[in-house]
Amino acid sequence: MDFELQAEILAQKIRHWTITANGRRIKDASIEEFYQAFCAVLREEVMINWTASLDTMENHKSRVLYFLSMEYLPGRFLKNNILNIGAQELIQAVLKKLERNFADLESCEPDAGLGNGGLGRLSSCFLDSLATLQYPARGYGLRYQYGIFEQEIWGGCQVEKPDCWLLNNNPWESRRDTLAVNVHFRGRPVSAKNSHGDEVFLLEDFEEVRALPYDTPIIGYSDSANYSVLTLRLWSTKESPRNFQLQRYNAGFLDTAAENTSLTDVLYPNDNTELGKRVRLKQEFLLVSASLQDMIRRHFRVYHEMNSFKDKVRIQINDTHPALIVAELLRTLTKNYDFSWKDAWDVCQSCCSYTNHTVLREGLEEWNEGRVKELLPRQLDVIQKLNLELCNQVRVRFPGDEDRVRRMSILEQGQVKMSHLAIFGSHKVNGVAALHTQILKDHLFKDFYEMTPGKFINVTNGVTHRRWLLDANPELSKLITERIGSGWISDFSQIAKLKSFAQDRNTQEEFLKVKKQKKGELLRFLREENPLRDALGKMVPSSIFVSENALFDVHIKRMHEYKRQLMNALHLIMLYHDLKGGKKRHCSRLVIIGGKSAPGYERAKQILRLIAAIARKFRKSNGISHQIHVILMENYNVSRAEMIIPAADLSQQISTAGWEASGTGNMKLAINGALTIGTEDGANIEMREAVTDQFWPFRFGATAKQNEGSYNPWDIYLKDDLIRLTLDSLKEGEFSENEEEFSIFSSLHQDLLEKDRFRVLQDLRSYYETQIKVEELFMQPHLWAEFALQNIASMGNFSSDRAIREYADEIWGLKPTALDGEIVGKVRMEYSEHDRCRIGKDQ
């Protein structure tokens, strides 16, 4: 169809929708009304491929992956969806006809509040790649009404407010009332037998919660009109009135009356209280039970029996949160579908696989056995039986080693170890970087590895380069495509062709020009959208004195001690002392630190408070504010990352070696031409190996192996004058303006000397000296550009496309299922024989 005609028909559809939905003509519609109409029309077109994708999977009876995750961080959908279906030029033509601009349109869309950090963003990258590579899959999660929280910084203090991302209608989702399911908590188990003589339990006097699904399309990238669309199904308890317990409310128990209605209110409620712990456990089982019921319902619709479930279903346990799927699948098969215990266990281990994302003990999740018994009595019975079976297997394999039995037990000292449940119930367990997987084998899950070594494999994380380079940085993408063609968009290994241009002077110049442009855009954004607030939350005047020529030094991660934002803060104090003492620095520097602290994580909040105080000191110091400027990025999220990452010169990846599972921010920054200052941790190691040491100049700090040795921070404090001066400034009030700050910073000083668990002082001198090397190289812009281009060209292995192919081949046994052209044709015909407007590539 003629391009101009396509644009006109699409514009007319938007006019039509604006009248029918809002009773307003297009010229009178508000930007929000226009946004809703625009997305509705776009989504209507996508529905054709969405329907065809679902029908293709079912008609071809493909093995299907079900991806369970408590977190997703998709960011905004609009721009990415338009890019993936190749409709950028058509959309611009439509907007021109309707006298609207895309920036206003995009500003109406909030970031979906479904996650917090790398885990959520990785999940979204994986769904993008699954859709692009046309694997049959579906994602399951929870629809958090208020996200994790919206962060504001008041006088250096984190203030948590509801993330109102659902304040207005979400045009991308579909409410599916007919697919709602019921989830049962508490109750009295009643013993019974299945036909195999296995004990199963009925449940009486239970507490029933209705889970309502909302579906969001995940559109795969394609250079043709036959793009695949997968489903992200999110469960909500918010829109189910019977979840509200009116009897309790009328009796005055307001908190427990609304407990089940509020299960999907907030991601990771503060679990420092009993209520918080109870809600978190309920959330995890809600995800598991509702999703499993949905999987079985779909399987029955396609196959009309359950014997093929073992072959046709794969379930990915993304971190420990959905580990209860093991117990619930086993319980459901034996009780509802009359499987023998042995056969049900075989199905469970065949279907389930588990990805571990952390080596932090507190991140592996353990639930109090009494709490599990209260809320999930039938599931605890299954876990107890599984634990007995596991312990007996260990005794057979390692006779006489009762200490090993204790270590491997799912139940120990009244706690249920969710990671052990996930490992035992899965056919494969993977880490997410080579070092991380080795730590799982050698330390964290050593006993399990020695018992079943073939179960453990590595799949290094990746990111979707289409979102984080093609979409987030179109100017750099254009530079790359002009030199190596567009093949890298679908096959990121082709990015290696850029190496031949790394020494080309014109390419270096253009790269530096693009980087400067993105830095200018970020500076404007920071001045307009990242306010400075006083202790009462009132916005106060502030200025950024550094220019686009400064080194943009970026540390953007959730706030956690092992990520060592504290070490960054101590380095800033060192820089302050250098400048105050008259020591010259090679270049000016804009330091951007962004990330949220968990609501109950006081130490992380204290570190954030220190960074804010250091930023204040730089702002108030004449002669220094033009050389170093420190910014705390408020409410860091995907959209803000898309502004920061293309502008970054230096990527801070400074976690204590051995503690970061992988990292994905390191990859996003590297593919946008930021050089990494980093430890030998997580995927940093594999990135360095890909780039080679020659072009990875800012490696520092102790290795994971070295960190296994003893460490006394007092030795460093007493021997290193610079570090002692830096540390003592915390307790001497140099950066505090009130008693509360003085107390907090003094406690940080004490803890660094008494219990420096993450070895900040050990690596601080190395970090300081490496930062000097950073400035020296930055003052040679063409050499810096060469290094940056070499880094970009070496990132081909760090695409989520590669990661998903490895999961599909080595864990899921999943084959791509291309969109069936005949099915697409039938859906299009049924949709509308007279509608010839298609959005996307030529058909």
Side-chain angles (χ1 to χ4, degrees):
M1 182 186 294
D2 176 75
F3 179 86
E4 183 64 27
L5 180 58
Q6 274 190 305
E8 181 53 43
I9 293 174
L10 183 58
Q12 185 55 41
K13 281 190 172 188
I14 296 170
R15 295 186 189 101
H16 173 82
W17 189 277
T18 305
I19 292 171
T20 57
N22 301 304
R24 294 165 74 85
R25 296 174 63 191
I26 196 75
K27 68 181 183 62
D28 301 318
S30 69
I31 185 60
E32 176 64 32
E33 290 169 335
F34 180 78
Y35 165 75
Q36 292 289 338
F38 182 92
C39 291
V41 170
L42 181 60
R43 184 178 173 280
E44 183 179 300
E45 298 290 335
V46 169
M47 284 299 300
I48 297 169
N49 285 53
W50 196 1
T51 304
S53 296
L54 294 171
D55 286 357
T56 296
M57 279 189 269
E58 295 192 359
N59 286 13
H60 288 239
K61 295 190 174 181
S62 307
R63 174 181 285 179
V64 178
L65 167 73
Y66 297 104
F67 191 86
L68 298 180
S69 181
M70 287 290 285
E71 286 192 48
Y72 296 91
L73 267 180
R76 292 169 170 166
F77 287 102
L78 178 59
K79 186 180 176 186
N80 196 64
N81 287 349
I82 292 171
L83 179 141
N84 279 357
I85 64 175
Q88 300 98 313
E89 292 183 8
L90 178 59
I91 295 304
Q92 287 298 334
V94 170
L95 292 175
K96 185 176 181 180
K97 284 179 177 293
L98 299 176
E99 298 181 342
R100 302 281 180 156
N101 70 76
F102 190 79
D104 288 342
L105 197 64
E106 192 176 27
S107 69
C108 291
E109 183 176 17
D111 277 43
L114 301 172
N116 179 27
L119 179 68
R121 187 54 230 167
L122 180 73
S123 299
S124 292
C125 283
F126 279 3
L127 291 187
D128 180 277
S129 287
L130 283 163
T132 297
L133 300 175
Q134 298 190 313
Y135 285 108
R138 171 172 291 178
Y140 287 107
L142 298 182
R143 183 179 181 265
Y144 303 106
Q145 188 77 18
Y146 304 113
I148 183 167
F149 58 82
E150 182 176 312
Q151 180 198 54
E152 290 185 357
I153 308 296
W154 292 15
C157 298
Q158 173 175 288
V159 174
E160 296 126 22
K161 295 188 169 186
D163 179 355
C164 297
W165 71 286
L166 290 173
L167 185 64
N168 296 319
N169 175 58
N170 178 3
W172 298 110
E173 66 182 9
S174 301
R175 174 171 163 157
R176 307 297 300 275
D177 289 73
T178 59
L179 300 178
V181 297
N182 296 320
V183 178
H184 295 158
F185 296 101
R186 293 192 167 93
R188 179 170 56 87
V190 178
S191 179
K193 300 279 186 181
N194 65 14
S195 68
H196 305 278
D198 298 312
E199 185 178 35
V200 295
F201 287 95
L202 309 176
L203 194 64
E204 296 182 352
D205 304 324
F206 49 79
E207 185 179 283
E208 186 173 86
V209 176
R210 181 173 183 258
L212 177 66
Y214 288 77
D215 289 355
T216 299
I218 305 299
I219 303 170
Y221 177 87
S222 177
D223 54 9
S224 78
N226 288 335
Y227 54 86
S228 288
V229 183
L230 300 183
T231 300
L232 172 58
R233 179 158 288 174
L234 304 173
W235 301 101
S236 173
T237 60
K238 199 68 180 172
E239 301 297 328
S240 302
R242 71 181 184 184
N243 293 344
F244 183 74
Q245 300 181 35
L246 190 59
Q247 290 283 85
R248 291 187 185 182
Y249 181 86
N250 288 335
F253 301 107
L254 277 64
D255 53 347
T256 56
E259 182 176 306
N260 289 335
T261 303
S262 63
L263 288 184
T264 54
D265 272 6
V266 177
L267 167 65
Y268 301 144
N270 188 343
D271 60 357
N272 290 342
T273 66
E274 174 57 33
L275 176 62
K277 290 180 173 70
R278 189 167 67 243
V279 169
R280 284 185 73 157
L281 179 56
K282 279 186 165 185
Q283 283 184 334
E284 293 181 5
F285 184 69
L286 176 78
L287 170 63
V288 162
S289 176
S291 302
L292 180 59
Q293 291 180 64
D294 197 62
M295 294 176 210
I296 292 173
R297 176 171 52 200
R298 179 199 171 276
H299 185 82
F300 253 101
R301 186 175 69 250
V302 176
Y303 299 100
H304 312 293
E305 46 78 22
M306 284 295 288
N307 291 329
S308 58
F309 194 87
K310 172 184 173 181
D311 178 57
K312 293 299 184 179
V313 169
R314 290 296 177 264
I315 301 170
Q316 187 64 31
I317 303 170
N318 194 38
D319 220 357
T320 54
H321 311 117
L324 283 166
I325 189 70
V326 173
E328 182 63 359
L329 177 56
L330 195 51
R331 185 202 68 78
T332 301
L333 292 176
T334 54
K335 189 262 181 187
N336 295 355
Y337 299 98
D338 200 33
F339 277 63
S340 70
W341 175 273
K342 180 177 180 297
D343 288 344
W345 183 233
D346 184 38
V347 171
C348 182
Q349 287 190 308
S350 297
C351 292
C352 294
S353 51
Y354 162 53
T355 300
N356 172 273
H357 286 279
T358 183
V359 300
L360 289 166
R361 289 284 177 183
E362 57 266 34
L364 294 176
E365 287 204 309
E366 294 183 7
W367 289 112
N368 179 271
E369 192 172 347
R371 187 177 297 108
V372 178
K373 183 177 182 179
E374 174 195 355
L375 296 176
L376 306 168
R378 295 180 298 172
Q379 289 72 25
L380 180 62
D381 177 77
V382 172
I383 292 170
Q384 289 169 338
K385 290 176 182 175
L386 280 177
N387 188 57
L388 179 61
E389 193 165 314
L390 170 61
C391 292
N392 287 339
Q393 288 183 21
V394 177
R395 289 186 176 104
V396 171
R397 179 75 170 77
F398 302 98
D401 194 346
E402 285 301 308
D403 191 47
R404 183 187 292 264
V405 174
R406 177 192 58 78
R407 293 195 305 267
M408 294 181 69
S409 176
I410 299 170
L411 302 172
E412 185 186 12
Q413 296 182 343
Q415 294 292 107
V416 183
K417 297 181 177 180
M418 305 308 287
S419 59
H420 290 197
L421 177 63
I423 293 169
F424 189 45
S426 298
H427 69 279
K428 288 291 183 183
V429 176
N430 74 283
V432 292
L435 173 63
H436 173 231
T437 301
Q438 202 60 47
I439 290 171
L440 299 186
K441 294 176 180 179
D442 294 346
H443 301 287
L444 199 62
F445 301 136
K446 184 174 185 287
D447 294 321
F448 283 96
Y449 174 66
E450 290 176 347
M451 184 169 172
T452 52
K455 182 178 282 193
F456 288 79
I457 68 169
N458 176 64
V459 182
T460 298
N461 281 342
V463 299
T464 172
H465 56 281
R466 289 172 292 274
R467 179 67 181 248
W468 292 102
L469 180 52
L470 183 63
D471 190 6
N473 200 340
E475 294 83 4
L476 180 57
S477 299
K478 181 172 179 287
L479 179 155
I480 294 168
T481 299
E482 286 175 347
R483 283 155 179 80
I484 67 171
S486 61
W488 64 273
I489 299 171
S490 298
D491 176 9
F492 201 48
S493 66
Q494 293 189 32
I495 199 68
K497 296 176 184 177
L498 191 63
K499 288 183 181 180
S500 60
F501 294 92
Q503 291 184 317
D504 176 64
R505 191 76 167 194
N506 290 334
T507 303
Q508 293 170 1
E509 291 278 2
E510 190 171 339
F511 170 81
L512 292 170
K513 181 180 178 182
V514 168
K515 183 66 72 172
K516 187 172 183 178
Q517 177 185 338
K518 305 311 286 186
K519 289 160 83 170
E521 292 172 4
L522 177 59
L523 283 174
R524 286 190 292 277
F525 176 84
L526 291 171
R527 289 174 177 131
E528 295 170 6
E529 303 293 338
N530 193 65
L532 184 65
R533 304 177 196 269
D534 65 18
L536 298 176
K538 182 180 178 182
M539 287 186 245
V540 296
S542 66
S543 300
I544 301 174
F545 297 107
V546 297
S547 72
E548 298 93 333
N549 297 319
L551 172 71
F552 278 38
D553 174 351
V554 169
H555 198 175
I556 39 176
K557 298 177 179 292
R558 64 186 173 89
M559 298 295 295
H560 199 289
E561 289 170 275
Y562 86 83
K563 295 182 183 289
R564 298 205 290 194
Q565 285 94 347
L566 181 55
M567 186 162 71
N568 194 349
L570 294 177
H571 174 251
L572 289 172
I573 293 174
M574 291 170 155
L575 288 179
Y576 177 80
H577 288 155
D578 282 351
L579 293 169
K580 290 296 284 185
K583 189 173 182 180
K584 297 292 184 182
R585 305 300 301 192
H586 294 284
C587 62
S588 58
R589 185 186 293 243
L590 176 66
V591 180
I592 301 170
I593 300 174
K596 297 177 181 179
S597 163
Y601 193 175
E602 286 304 316
R603 178 55 84 205
K605 289 183 174 182
Q606 291 171 351
I607 293 169
L608 192 150
R609 187 85 177 262
L610 174 62
I611 294 168
I614 294 169
R616 179 182 64 207
K617 178 67 79 170
F618 274 111
R619 286 195 307 271
K620 292 185 175 181
S621 299
N622 293 331
I624 292 181
S625 59
H626 287 78
Q627 294 176 273
I628 307 286
H629 193 92
V630 181
I631 286 180
L632 269 174
M633 170 61 79
E634 199 174 68
N635 200 43
Y636 176 66
N637 58 19
V638 173
S639 292
R640 294 191 168 214
E642 289 171 334
M643 292 294 303
I644 296 170
I645 288 172
D649 293 309
L650 186 67
S651 165
Q652 296 255 11
Q653 310 297 329
I654 61 176
S655 54
T656 312
W659 287 94
E660 182 72 82
S662 168
T664 51
N666 47 5
M667 303 169 190
K668 296 165 198 165
L669 284 152
I671 65 175
N672 278 274
L675 299 188
T676 302
I677 180 167
T679 51
E680 287 286 277
D681 198 22
N684 287 358
I685 298 171
E686 292 157 80
M687 290 171 64
R688 174 183 57 78
E689 290 169 349
V691 173
T692 74
D693 288 339
Q694 179 183 358
F695 299 109
W696 191 270
F698 308 136
R699 168 185 173 185
F700 77 95
T703 64
K705 186 69 175 175
Q706 291 168 334
N707 283 336
E708 293 176 13
S710 61
Y711 161 62
N712 184 358
W714 276 100
D715 291 342
I716 296 170
Y717 175 79
L718 294 173
K719 292 176 182 177
D720 193 313
D721 293 340
L722 178 59
I723 289 178
R724 186 168 61 255
L725 173 67
T726 302
L727 231 61
D728 286 351
S729 67
L730 297 178
K731 69 174 183 177
E732 291 171 355
E734 186 174 3
F735 294 91
S736 55
E737 288 192 349
N738 54 56
E739 286 299 319
E740 184 181 11
E741 288 185 348
F742 179 80
S743 175
I744 289 170
F745 302 162
S746 296
S747 72
L748 288 173
H749 176 277
Q750 182 179 349
D751 284 355
L752 281 167
L753 292 175
E754 302 296 339
K755 45 184 177 182
D756 185 13
R757 178 186 178 193
F758 297 105
R759 301 185 175 227
V760 171
L761 298 191
Q762 173 185 270
D763 289 346
L764 184 55
R765 168 58 77 168
S766 174
Y767 180 57
Y768 172 80
E769 292 172 352
T770 305
Q771 285 279 15
I772 294 173
K773 295 178 184 178
V774 169
E775 295 181 3
E776 290 171 348
L777 184 59
F778 187 71
M779 295 307 293
Q780 305 173 69
H782 290 97
L783 186 58
W784 181 280
E786 179 186 347
F787 276 54
L789 290 164
Q790 288 283 358
N791 273 252
I792 296 169
S794 301
M795 290 296 110
N797 199 47
F798 300 97
S799 165
S800 52
D801 291 356
R802 185 271 313 155
I804 285 300
R805 286 193 181 99
E806 290 184 13
Y807 276 101
D809 293 343
E810 300 178 30
I811 297 178
W812 304 326
L814 209 63
K815 301 296 182 184
T817 302
L819 206 58
D820 188 313
E822 184 179 347
I823 292 175
V824 176
K826 288 179 179 179
V827 174
R828 290 196 195 283
M829 181 73 70
E830 191 169 332
Y831 168 69
S832 175
E833 288 189 21
H834 66 270
D835 181 1
R836 302 304 179 192
C837 176
R838 294 275 73 80
I839 300 178
K841 278 81 175 180
D842 292 337
Q843 299 172 58

